[in-house]
Coordinates of all heavy atoms in Angstrom, one line a residue:
R24 N 138.3 104.3 110.9 CA 139.2 103.5 110.1 C 139.4 104.2 108.8 O 138.4 104.7 108.2 CB 138.5 102.1 109.8 CG 139.2 101.2 108.8 CD 138.5 99.9 108.8 NE 138.7 99.0 107.8 CZ 139.0 99.1 106.5 NH1 139.0 100.3 106.0 NH2 139.1 98.1 105.7
F25 N 140.6 104.3 108.3 CA 140.9 104.9 107.1 C 140.9 103.9 105.9 O 141.1 102.7 106.1 CB 142.3 105.6 107.1 CG 142.4 106.7 108.1 CD1 142.9 106.6 109.4 CD2 141.9 108.0 107.7 CE1 142.9 107.6 110.3 CE2 142.0 109.0 108.6 CZ 142.5 108.9 109.9
L26 N 140.6 104.4 104.7 CA 140.6 103.6 103.5 C 142.0 103.3 103.2 O 142.9 104.1 103.3 CB 139.9 104.3 102.4 CG 138.4 104.5 102.4 CD1 138.0 105.3 101.2 CD2 137.7 103.2 102.5
D27 N 142.2 102.0 102.7 CA 143.5 101.7 102.2 C 143.3 101.1 100.8 O 142.2 101.0 100.3 CB 144.3 100.8 103.1 CG 143.6 99.5 103.4 OD1 142.9 99.0 102.5 OD2 143.8 98.9 104.5
E28 N 144.4 100.7 100.1 CA 144.2 100.2 98.7 C 143.4 98.9 98.6 O 142.7 98.7 97.6 CB 145.6 100.0 98.1 CG 146.4 98.9 98.8 CD 147.8 98.9 98.3 OE1 148.4 100.0 98.0 OE2 148.4 97.8 98.1
D29 N 143.3 98.1 99.7 CA 142.4 96.9 99.6 C 140.9 97.3 99.6 O 140.1 96.6 99.0 CB 142.7 96.0 100.8 CG 144.1 95.5 100.8 OD1 144.6 95.3 99.7 OD2 144.6 95.2 101.9
D30 N 140.6 98.4 100.1 CA 139.2 98.9 100.1 C 138.7 99.3 98.7 O 137.5 99.3 98.4 CB 139.0 100.1 101.0 CG 139.1 99.7 102.5 OD1 138.6 98.7 102.9 OD2 139.8 100.5 103.2
L31 N 139.6 99.6 97.8 CA 139.3 100.0 96.5 C 139.1 98.9 95.5 O 138.7 99.1 94.3 CB 140.4 101.0 96.0 CG 140.7 102.2 96.9 CD1 141.8 103.0 96.3 CD2 139.4 103.0 97.1
D32 N 139.3 97.6 95.9 CA 139.2 96.5 95.0 C 137.7 96.2 94.8 O 137.3 95.6 93.8 CB 139.9 95.3 95.6 CG 141.4 95.4 95.6 OD1 141.9 96.2 94.8 OD2 142.0 94.7 96.3
E33 N 136.9 96.6 95.7 CA 135.4 96.2 95.6 C 134.6 97.5 95.6 O 134.8 98.4 96.4 CB 135.1 95.4 96.9 CG 133.8 94.7 97.0 CD 133.7 93.9 98.2 OE1 134.7 93.3 98.6 OE2 132.6 94.0 98.8
P34 N 133.6 97.6 94.7 CA 132.8 98.8 94.7 C 132.0 98.9 96.0 O 131.5 97.9 96.6 CB 131.8 98.6 93.5 CG 132.1 97.3 93.0 CD 133.2 96.6 93.7
R35 N 131.8 100.1 96.5 CA 131.1 100.3 97.8 C 130.1 101.4 97.5 O 130.3 102.6 97.8 CB 132.1 100.8 98.9 CG 133.1 99.7 99.2 CD 133.9 100.1 100.4 NE 134.9 99.1 100.7 CZ 134.7 98.1 101.5 NH1 133.6 98.0 102.2 NH2 135.7 97.2 101.7
H36 N 128.9 101.0 97.0 CA 127.9 101.9 96.6 C 126.7 101.6 97.5 O 126.4 100.5 97.8 CB 127.4 101.7 95.2 CG 128.6 102.0 94.2 ND1 129.0 103.2 93.9 CD2 129.3 101.1 93.5 CE1 130.0 103.2 93.0 NE2 130.2 101.9 92.8
T37 N 126.0 102.7 97.9 CA 124.7 102.5 98.6 C 123.6 102.4 97.6 O 123.5 103.3 96.8 CB 124.5 103.7 99.6 OG1 125.6 103.7 100.5 CG2 123.2 103.6 100.3
R38 N 122.9 101.4 97.7 CA 121.7 101.2 96.8 C 120.5 101.9 97.3 O 120.3 101.9 98.5 CB 121.4 99.7 96.6 CG 122.5 98.9 95.8 CD 122.2 97.5 95.8 NE 122.2 96.9 97.1 CZ 121.3 96.1 97.7 NH1 120.3 95.7 96.9 NH2 121.4 95.7 98.9
L39 N 119.8 102.6 96.5 CA 118.5 103.3 96.8 C 117.4 102.6 96.2 O 117.4 102.3 95.0 CB 118.6 104.8 96.4 CG 119.8 105.6 96.9 CD1 119.8 107.0 96.3 CD2 119.8 105.6 98.4
R40 N 116.3 102.4 97.0 CA 115.1 101.7 96.4 C 113.9 102.1 97.2 O 113.9 101.9 98.4 CB 115.3 100.2 96.4 CG 114.2 99.5 95.6 CD 114.5 98.0 95.5 NE 115.1 97.5 96.7 CZ 116.0 96.6 96.8 NH1 116.5 96.0 95.8 NH2 116.5 96.2 98.0
A41 N 112.9 102.7 96.6 CA 111.6 103.0 97.2 C 111.7 103.6 98.6 O 111.1 103.2 99.5 CB 110.8 101.7 97.2
G42 N 112.5 104.7 98.6 CA 112.6 105.5 99.9 C 113.5 104.9 100.9 O 113.5 105.3 102.1
W43 N 114.3 103.9 100.6 CA 115.2 103.3 101.5 C 116.6 103.2 100.9 O 116.8 103.2 99.7 CB 114.8 101.8 101.8 CG 113.5 101.8 102.6 CD1 112.3 101.8 102.0 CD2 113.4 101.8 104.0 NE1 111.3 101.8 103.1 CE2 112.0 101.8 104.3 CE3 114.2 101.9 105.0 CZ2 111.5 101.8 105.6 CZ3 113.7 101.9 106.3 CH2 112.4 101.9 106.6
A44 N 117.6 103.3 101.8 CA 119.0 103.2 101.4 C 119.6 101.9 102.0 O 119.3 101.5 103.1 CB 119.8 104.3 101.9
F45 N 120.3 101.1 101.2 CA 120.9 99.9 101.6 C 122.5 100.0 101.5 O 123.0 99.8 100.4 CB 120.4 98.7 100.7 CG 118.9 98.5 100.8 CD1 118.1 99.3 99.9 CD2 118.4 97.7 101.7 CE1 116.7 99.1 100.0 CE2 117.0 97.5 101.8 CZ 116.2 98.2 101.0
P46 N 123.1 100.4 102.6 CA 124.6 100.6 102.5 C 125.3 99.3 102.3 O 124.8 98.2 102.6 CB 124.9 101.2 103.9 CG 123.7 101.0 104.7 CD 122.6 100.7 103.9
P47 N 126.6 99.4 101.8 CA 127.3 98.2 101.4 C 127.7 97.4 102.7 O 128.0 96.2 102.5 CB 128.6 98.8 100.8 CG 128.7 100.2 101.2 CD 127.3 100.7 101.4
W48 N 127.7 98.0 103.8 CA 128.0 97.2 105.1 C 126.8 96.5 105.7 O 126.9 95.8 106.7 CB 128.7 98.1 106.1 CG 127.8 99.3 106.5 CD1 126.8 99.3 107.4 CD2 127.9 100.6 105.9 NE1 126.3 100.6 107.4 CE2 126.9 101.4 106.5 CE3 128.7 101.2 104.9 CZ2 126.7 102.7 106.2 CZ3 128.5 102.5 104.6 CH2 127.5 103.3 105.2
G49 N 125.6 96.6 105.0 CA 124.4 96.0 105.5 C 123.5 96.9 106.1 O 123.8 98.1 106.4
G50 N 122.3 96.4 106.4 CA 121.3 97.2 107.0 C 120.4 98.0 106.1 O 120.6 97.8 104.8
K51 N 119.5 98.8 106.6 CA 118.6 99.5 105.8 C 118.2 100.8 106.5 O 118.0 100.8 107.7 CB 117.3 98.6 105.7 CG 116.1 99.2 105.1 CD 115.1 98.0 104.9 CE 113.7 98.4 105.3 NZ 112.7 97.5 104.9
L52 N 118.3 101.9 105.8 CA 118.0 103.2 106.4 C 116.9 103.9 105.6 O 117.0 104.0 104.4 CB 119.2 104.1 106.3 CG 120.5 103.6 107.1 CD1 121.7 104.4 106.7 CD2 120.3 103.7 108.6
E53 N 115.9 104.4 106.3 CA 114.8 105.1 105.6 C 115.4 106.5 105.1 O 116.1 107.2 105.9 CB 113.6 105.4 106.5 CG 112.5 106.0 105.8 CD 111.2 106.0 106.6 OE1 111.3 105.7 107.8 OE2 110.2 106.3 106.1
L54 N 115.1 106.9 103.9 CA 115.6 108.1 103.4 C 114.8 109.3 104.0 O 113.6 109.2 104.2 CB 115.5 108.2 101.8 CG 116.4 107.2 101.1 CD1 116.2 107.3 99.6 CD2 117.8 107.4 101.5
A55 N 115.4 110.4 104.3 CA 114.8 111.6 104.8 C 115.5 112.8 104.1 O 116.3 113.5 104.8 CB 114.9 111.6 106.3
P56 N 115.3 113.0 102.8 CA 116.1 114.0 102.1 C 115.8 115.4 102.5 O 114.7 115.8 102.9 CB 115.7 113.8 100.6 CG 114.4 113.1 100.7 CD 114.4 112.3 102.0
F57 N 116.9 116.2 102.5 CA 116.8 117.7 102.7 C 118.0 118.4 102.2 O 119.0 117.7 101.9 CB 116.6 118.0 104.2 CG 117.8 117.8 105.1 CD1 118.7 118.8 105.4 CD2 118.1 116.5 105.5 CE1 119.8 118.6 106.2 CE2 119.2 116.3 106.3 CZ 120.1 117.3 106.6
F58 N 117.9 119.7 102.0 CA 119.1 120.5 101.6 C 119.7 121.1 102.8 O 119.1 121.6 103.7 CB 118.6 121.6 100.6 CG 118.3 121.2 99.3 CD1 117.0 121.1 98.8 CD2 119.3 120.7 98.4 CE1 116.7 120.7 97.6 CE2 119.0 120.3 97.1 CZ 117.7 120.3 96.7
G59 N 121.0 120.9 102.9 CA 121.8 121.4 104.1 C 122.0 122.9 104.0 O 122.2 123.5 105.0
V60 N 122.1 123.5 102.8 CA 122.4 124.9 102.7 C 121.2 125.6 102.0 O 120.8 125.2 100.9 CB 123.7 125.1 101.9 CG1 123.9 126.6 101.6 CG2 124.9 124.5 102.6
L61 N 120.7 126.6 102.6 CA 119.6 127.4 102.1 C 119.9 128.8 102.5 O 120.1 129.1 103.7 CB 118.2 127.0 102.6 CG 117.8 125.7 102.2 CD1 117.0 125.0 103.3 CD2 116.9 125.8 101.0
G62 N 120.0 129.8 101.6 CA 120.2 131.1 102.0 C 120.0 132.1 100.9 O 119.7 131.8 99.7
V63 N 120.1 133.4 101.3 CA 120.0 134.5 100.4 C 121.2 135.4 100.5 O 122.0 135.2 101.5 CB 118.7 135.4 100.7 CG1 117.5 134.6 100.3 CG2 118.7 135.8 102.1
A64 N 121.4 136.3 99.7 CA 122.6 137.2 99.8 C 122.5 138.0 101.1 O 121.4 138.6 101.4 CB 122.6 138.1 98.6
P65 N 123.6 138.1 101.8 CA 123.6 138.9 103.0 C 123.7 140.4 102.7 O 124.1 140.8 101.7 CB 124.9 138.4 103.7 CG 125.8 138.0 102.6 CD 124.9 137.5 101.5
T66 N 123.4 141.2 103.7 CA 123.6 142.7 103.6 C 125.0 143.1 103.5 O 125.3 144.1 102.8 CB 122.9 143.4 104.8 OG1 123.5 142.9 106.0 CG2 121.4 143.2 104.8
H67 N 125.9 142.4 104.1 CA 127.3 142.8 104.2 C 128.2 142.2 103.1 O 129.4 142.4 103.1 CB 127.9 142.5 105.6 CG 127.7 141.0 106.0 ND1 126.5 140.6 106.5 CD2 128.5 140.0 105.9 CE1 126.7 139.3 106.8 NE2 127.9 138.9 106.4
G68 N 127.7 141.4 102.2 CA 128.4 141.0 101.0 C 129.2 139.7 101.1 O 129.7 139.2 100.1
R69 N 129.5 139.2 102.3 CA 130.2 137.9 102.4 C 129.4 137.0 103.3 O 128.7 137.4 104.2 CB 131.6 138.2 103.1 CG 132.6 138.7 102.2 CD 134.0 138.8 102.9 NE 134.5 137.5 103.4 CZ 135.2 136.7 102.7 NH1 135.6 137.0 101.5 NH2 135.7 135.5 103.2
V70 N 129.6 135.7 103.0 CA 128.9 134.7 103.8 C 130.0 133.8 104.5 O 131.1 133.7 104.0 CB 128.0 133.8 103.0 CG1 126.9 134.6 102.4 CG2 128.7 133.0 101.9
N71 N 129.6 133.2 105.6 CA 130.5 132.3 106.3 C 129.8 131.0 106.3 O 128.7 130.8 106.7 CB 130.6 132.8 107.8 CG 131.5 131.9 108.6 OD1 132.1 131.0 108.1 ND2 131.7 132.2 109.9
S72 N 130.5 130.0 105.7 CA 129.9 128.6 105.6 C 130.0 127.8 106.8 O 129.5 126.7 106.9 CB 130.5 127.9 104.4 OG 131.9 127.7 104.6
I73 N 130.7 128.3 107.8 CA 130.9 127.5 109.1 C 129.8 127.9 110.0 O 129.6 129.1 110.3 CB 132.3 127.8 109.7 CG1 133.4 127.4 108.7 CG2 132.5 127.1 111.0 CD1 134.8 127.9 109.1
P74 N 129.1 126.9 110.6 CA 128.0 127.3 111.6 C 128.6 128.1 112.7 O 129.8 127.9 113.0 CB 127.5 125.9 112.0 CG 127.9 125.0 110.9 CD 129.2 125.5 110.3
P75 N 127.8 128.9 113.4 CA 126.4 129.1 113.2 C 126.1 130.0 112.0 O 126.9 130.9 111.7 CB 126.0 129.8 114.5 CG 127.2 130.6 115.0 CD 128.4 129.7 114.5
S76 N 124.9 129.8 111.5 CA 124.5 130.6 110.3 C 123.9 131.9 110.8 O 123.7 132.1 112.0 CB 123.3 129.8 109.6 OG 123.9 128.6 109.1
E77 N 123.8 132.8 109.9 CA 123.3 134.2 110.3 C 121.9 134.4 109.7 O 121.3 133.5 109.2 CB 124.3 135.2 109.7 CG 125.7 135.0 110.4 CD 126.7 136.1 110.0 OE1 126.3 137.2 109.8 OE2 127.9 135.7 109.9
D78 N 121.5 135.7 109.7 CA 120.1 136.0 109.3 C 119.8 135.7 107.8 O 118.7 135.7 107.4 CB 119.7 137.4 109.6 CG 120.5 138.5 108.8 OD1 121.5 138.1 108.2 OD2 120.1 139.6 108.8
Y79 N 120.9 135.5 107.0 CA 120.7 135.2 105.6 C 120.5 133.7 105.3 O 120.3 133.3 104.2 CB 121.9 135.7 104.7 CG 123.2 135.2 105.2 CD1 123.7 134.0 105.0 CD2 124.0 136.1 106.0 CE1 124.9 133.5 105.4 CE2 125.2 135.6 106.5 CZ 125.7 134.4 106.2 OH 126.9 133.9 106.7
G80 N 120.5 132.9 106.4 CA 120.4 131.4 106.2 C 121.8 130.9 106.2 O 122.7 131.2 107.0
G81 N 122.2 130.0 105.3 CA 123.5 129.5 105.2 C 123.5 128.0 105.4 O 122.6 127.2 105.0
N82 N 124.6 127.5 106.0 CA 124.8 126.0 106.2 C 124.0 125.6 107.4 O 124.4 125.5 108.5 CB 126.3 125.8 106.5 CG 126.6 124.3 106.5 OD1 125.7 123.5 106.2 ND2 127.9 124.0 106.7
L83 N 122.7 125.4 107.2 CA 121.7 125.1 108.3 C 121.7 123.7 108.7 O 121.6 123.4 109.9 CB 120.3 125.5 107.8 CG 120.2 127.0 107.3 CD1 118.8 127.2 106.8 CD2 120.5 127.9 108.5
D84 N 121.7 122.7 107.8 CA 121.7 121.3 108.2 C 120.6 121.0 109.2 O 120.9 120.4 110.2 CB 123.0 120.8 108.6 CG 124.0 120.5 107.5 OD1 123.5 120.2 106.4 OD2 125.2 120.6 107.7
L85 N 119.4 121.3 108.9 CA 118.2 121.1 109.7 C 117.4 119.9 109.1 O 116.8 120.1 108.1 CB 117.3 122.3 109.9 CG 118.0 123.5 110.5 CD1 117.1 124.7 110.4 CD2 118.4 123.2 112.0
K86 N 117.4 118.8 109.7 CA 116.8 117.6 109.2 C 115.3 117.7 109.0 O 114.7 117.0 108.3 CB 117.2 116.3 109.9 CG 116.6 116.3 111.3 CD 117.0 115.0 112.0 CE 116.4 115.0 113.4 NZ 116.8 113.8 114.1
H87 N 114.7 118.7 109.8 CA 113.2 118.9 109.7 C 112.8 119.9 108.7 O 111.7 120.1 108.4 CB 112.7 119.2 111.1 CG 112.9 118.2 112.1 ND1 112.3 116.9 112.0 CD2 113.7 118.2 113.2 CE1 112.7 116.2 113.0 NE2 113.5 116.9 113.7
L88 N 113.8 120.5 108.0 CA 113.5 121.5 106.9 C 113.4 120.7 105.6 O 114.3 120.7 104.8 CB 114.6 122.5 106.9 CG 114.4 123.8 106.1 CD1 113.1 124.5 106.4 CD2 115.6 124.7 106.2
T89 N 112.3 120.1 105.4 CA 112.0 119.2 104.3 C 110.8 119.6 103.5 O 110.3 120.7 103.7 CB 111.8 117.8 104.8 OG1 110.7 117.8 105.6 CG2 113.0 117.2 105.6
K90 N 110.3 118.8 102.7 CA 109.1 119.0 101.9 C 108.0 119.5 102.8 O 107.8 119.0 103.9 CB 108.7 117.7 101.2 CG 107.5 117.8 100.3 CD 107.2 116.4 99.7 CE 105.9 116.4 99.0 NZ 105.6 115.1 98.4
N91 N 107.3 120.5 102.4 CA 106.1 121.1 103.1 C 106.5 121.9 104.3 O 105.6 122.3 105.1 CB 105.1 120.1 103.4 CG 104.5 119.4 102.2 OD1 104.3 120.1 101.2 ND2 104.2 118.2 102.2
S92 N 107.8 122.2 104.6 CA 108.1 123.0 105.7 C 108.4 124.4 105.1 O 108.5 124.6 103.9 CB 109.4 122.5 106.4 OG 110.5 122.4 105.6
T93 N 108.5 125.4 106.0 CA 108.6 126.8 105.6 C 109.9 127.4 106.3 O 110.0 127.2 107.5 CB 107.4 127.6 106.0 OG1 106.3 127.0 105.3 CG2 107.5 129.1 105.5
L94 N 110.7 128.1 105.6 CA 111.8 128.8 106.1 C 111.7 130.3 105.7 O 111.5 130.6 104.5 CB 113.1 128.3 105.6 CG 114.4 129.1 106.0 CD1 114.6 129.0 107.5 CD2 115.6 128.5 105.2
Y95 N 111.6 131.2 106.6 CA 111.5 132.6 106.3 C 112.9 133.2 106.4 O 113.6 133.1 107.4 CB 110.6 133.3 107.3 CG 109.2 132.9 107.2 CD1 108.6 131.9 108.0 CD2 108.3 133.5 106.2 CE1 107.3 131.5 107.9 CE2 107.0 133.1 106.1 CZ 106.5 132.1 107.0 OH 105.2 131.7 106.8
L96 N 113.3 133.9 105.3 CA 114.6 134.6 105.2 C 114.4 136.0 104.7 O 113.5 136.2 103.9 CB 115.6 133.9 104.2 CG 116.0 132.4 104.6 CD1 116.7 131.8 103.5 CD2 116.9 132.5 105.9
P97 N 115.1 136.9 105.2 CA 114.9 138.3 104.8 C 115.4 138.5 103.4 O 116.3 137.8 102.9 CB 115.8 139.1 105.8 CG 116.8 138.2 106.2 CD 116.2 136.8 106.2
V98 N 114.9 139.5 102.7 CA 115.4 139.9 101.4 C 116.3 141.0 101.6 O 115.9 142.2 101.8 CB 114.2 140.3 100.4 CG1 114.8 140.8 99.1 CG2 113.3 139.1 100.2
N99 N 117.6 140.7 101.6 CA 118.6 141.7 102.0 C 119.1 142.6 100.8 O 119.6 143.7 101.0 CB 119.9 141.0 102.6 CG 119.5 140.3 103.9 OD1 118.9 140.9 104.7 ND2 120.0 139.1 104.0
V100 N 118.9 142.0 99.6 CA 119.3 142.8 98.4 C 118.2 142.5 97.3 O 117.4 141.6 97.5 CB 120.7 142.3 97.8 CG1 121.8 142.5 98.8 CG2 120.6 140.8 97.4
P101 N 118.1 143.4 96.3 CA 117.1 143.2 95.3 C 117.2 141.7 94.7 O 118.3 141.2 94.5 CB 117.4 144.2 94.2 CG 118.1 145.3 95.0 CD 118.9 144.6 96.1
E102 N 116.0 141.1 94.6 CA 115.9 139.7 94.1 C 116.4 138.6 95.0 O 116.3 137.5 94.7 CB 116.5 139.6 92.7 CG 115.9 140.6 91.7 CD 116.5 140.5 90.3 OE1 117.3 139.6 90.1 OE2 116.3 141.5 89.6
A103 N 116.9 138.9 96.2 CA 117.3 138.0 97.2 C 118.4 137.0 96.9 O 119.2 136.6 97.7 CB 116.1 137.2 97.7
L104 N 118.6 136.6 95.6 CA 119.6 135.7 95.2 C 119.6 134.4 96.0 O 120.6 134.1 96.6 CB 121.0 136.4 95.2 CG 121.1 137.7 94.4 CD1 122.4 138.4 94.8 CD2 121.0 137.5 93.0
L105 N 118.6 133.7 95.9 CA 118.4 132.4 96.7 C 119.4 131.4 96.2 O 119.7 131.1 95.1 CB 117.0 131.8 96.5 CG 116.7 130.5 97.1 CD1 116.7 130.7 98.7 CD2 115.4 129.9 96.7
F106 N 120.0 130.7 97.2 CA 121.0 129.6 97.0 C 120.5 128.4 97.7 O 120.1 128.5 98.9 CB 122.4 130.0 97.5 CG 123.4 128.8 97.3 CD1 123.9 128.6 96.0 CD2 123.6 127.9 98.3 CE1 124.8 127.5 95.8 CE2 124.5 126.9 98.1 CZ 125.1 126.7 96.9
V107 N 120.5 127.2 97.1 CA 120.1 126.0 97.7 C 121.1 124.9 97.2 O 121.5 124.8 96.1 CB 118.7 125.5 97.2 CG1 118.3 124.2 97.8 CG2 117.7 126.6 97.5
G108 N 121.6 124.1 98.2 CA 122.6 123.1 97.9 C 122.9 122.2 99.0 O 122.2 122.2 100.0
D109 N 123.9 121.4 98.8 CA 124.4 120.4 99.8 C 123.3 119.4 100.2 O 122.9 119.3 101.4 CB 124.9 121.1 101.1 CG 125.6 120.2 102.1 OD1 126.1 119.2 101.6 OD2 125.6 120.5 103.3
G110 N 122.7 118.7 99.2 CA 121.6 117.8 99.4 C 122.1 116.6 100.2 O 123.2 116.0 100.0
H111 N 121.2 116.2 101.1 CA 121.5 115.0 102.0 C 120.4 114.0 101.8 O 119.2 114.4 101.7 CB 121.5 115.4 103.5 CG 122.6 116.3 103.9 ND1 123.8 115.9 104.2 CD2 122.6 117.7 104.0 CE1 124.6 117.0 104.5 NE2 123.8 118.1 104.4
A112 N 120.7 112.7 101.7 CA 119.7 111.7 101.7 C 119.2 111.4 103.1 O 118.0 111.0 103.3 CB 120.3 110.4 101.1
R113 N 120.0 111.6 104.1 CA 119.6 111.4 105.5 C 120.8 111.9 106.3 O 121.9 111.7 106.0 CB 119.5 109.9 105.7 CG 119.1 109.6 107.1 CD 119.0 108.0 107.3 NE 118.8 107.8 108.7 CZ 117.6 107.5 109.2 NH1 116.5 107.5 108.4 NH2 117.4 107.3 110.5
Q114 N 120.4 112.6 107.4 CA 121.5 113.1 108.3 C 120.7 113.6 109.6 O 119.6 114.0 109.5 CB 122.2 114.3 107.7 CG 123.3 114.9 108.6 CD 124.0 116.0 108.0 OE1 124.4 115.9 106.8 NE2 124.2 117.1 108.7
G115 N 121.5 113.7 110.7 CA 121.0 114.3 111.9 C 121.1 115.8 111.8 O 121.5 116.4 110.7
D116 N 120.7 116.6 112.8 CA 120.8 118.0 112.8 C 122.3 118.4 113.0 O 123.0 117.8 113.9 CB 120.0 118.6 113.9 CG 118.5 118.7 113.5 OD1 118.2 118.9 112.3 OD2 117.7 118.6 114.4
G117 N 122.7 119.5 112.3 CA 124.0 120.1 112.6 C 125.2 119.4 111.9 O 125.1 118.5 111.1
E118 N 126.4 119.9 112.3 CA 127.6 119.5 111.7 C 128.5 118.9 112.8 O 128.4 119.3 114.0 CB 128.4 120.7 111.1 CG 127.8 121.3 109.9 CD 127.9 120.5 108.6 OE1 128.7 119.5 108.6 OE2 127.2 120.8 107.7
C119 N 129.3 118.0 112.5 CA 130.3 117.4 113.4 C 131.6 117.9 113.0 O 132.1 117.5 112.0 CB 130.2 115.9 113.4 SG 131.2 115.1 114.7
C120 N 132.2 118.8 113.8 CA 133.5 119.5 113.4 C 134.6 119.0 114.2 O 134.5 118.7 115.4 CB 133.3 121.0 113.5 SG 132.0 121.7 112.4

């Protein structure tokens, strides 16, 4: 369903409280935060943000790559140039394209 102008009359915010999300349509979801993008500078100078990712990391979207997990990435250039982004409150593995 696409949004139309009637959908904009009412705020639609997901409330967060004590590790849980309460979406505007009802229900309750346990939060499982992780970063979708983790990577270092590649050897060849360009990155591709479309999966599959390469040896430098990239758009990984791995729901199990969370607090206390370990990801090993090569240092392809001096100082590695670590990038972290695309934070998710909860998501399954991968992208739906």
Side-chain angles (χ1 to χ4, degrees):
R24 174 176 169 318
F25 292 98
L26 290 176
D27 59 33
E28 61 188 41
D29 294 332
D30 292 316
L31 304 176
D32 292 338
E33 189 178 320
R35 298 188 181 264
H36 301 284
T37 298
R38 293 175 295 132
L39 304 176
R40 188 174 41 215
W43 292 89
F45 300 88
W48 56 84
K51 170 173 138 171
L52 299 167
E53 186 173 9
L54 297 181
F57 70 96
F58 286 107
V60 175
L61 294 145
V63 294
T66 54
H67 54 279
R69 279 186 61 92
V70 298
N71 182 2
S72 64
I73 300 170
S76 298
E77 297 184 34
D78 68 345
Y79 53 80
N82 190 3
L83 303 174
D84 281 332
L85 299 171
K86 68 180 180 181
H87 298 295
L88 191 54
T89 61
K90 179 180 175 181
N91 297 323
S92 61
T93 303
L94 173 66
Y95 292 98
L96 295 170
V98 177
N99 297 314
V100 297
E102 301 178 14
L104 304 172
L105 177 67
F106 178 82
V107 178
D109 190 25
H111 297 275
R113 179 184 177 98
Q114 178 181 314
D116 282 329
E118 295 283 348
C119 188
C120 298

